[in-house]
Amino acid sequence: MKAFPWQINGQTVKGEKGMDLRDYFAAKAMQAFVTLHEQALTKDREPCHWYKDGTSAEIVSEHAYAVADAMMKEIGRAHV
């Protein structure tokens, strides 16, 4: 399922064009997690540190896709 399907003259064109809806949801969730992460660490006047080994990015992406998968599952239930 595409978030922004490719259209010509108002008609949706089948194919691979357009962003996957799952990726769109994950990107939105990621933005929220990054904002919350920064706010949580700066709340106590501590700087936000993203670990150089990539663990912070991996954790955020895992959680973002978990949210996206839950949203995709809910869409499937809504359209039954």
Side-chain angles (χ1 to χ4, degrees), residues 11-23:
Q11 299 294 322
T12 300
V13 178
K14 294 187 183 227
E16 295 299 316
K17 297 192 183 234
M19 181 181 203
D20 285 332
L21 189 55
R22 179 177 181 254
D23 292 334

Side-chain angles (χ1 to χ4, degrees), residues 12-79:
T12 300
V13 178
K14 294 187 183 227
E16 295 299 316
K17 297 192 183 234
M19 181 181 203
D20 285 332
L21 189 55
R22 179 177 181 254
D23 292 334
Y24 177 77
F25 287 152
K28 292 295 187 177
M30 179 201 63
Q31 291 171 330
F33 287 136
V34 169
T35 299
L36 290 172
H37 177 73
E38 289 177 354
Q39 288 175 351
L41 291 178
T42 57
K43 184 177 177 183
D44 299 322
R45 304 205 190 291
E46 291 291 324
C48 178
H49 295 292
W50 288 92
Y51 297 107
K52 291 181 181 179
D53 65 1
T55 55
S56 294
E58 288 174 12
I59 291 167
V60 168
S61 64
E62 285 174 17
H63 287 290
Y65 273 101
V67 169
D69 290 341
M71 293 179 78
M72 293 299 292
K73 184 177 178 182
E74 190 61 32
I75 287 173
R77 279 194 273 200
H79 291 280

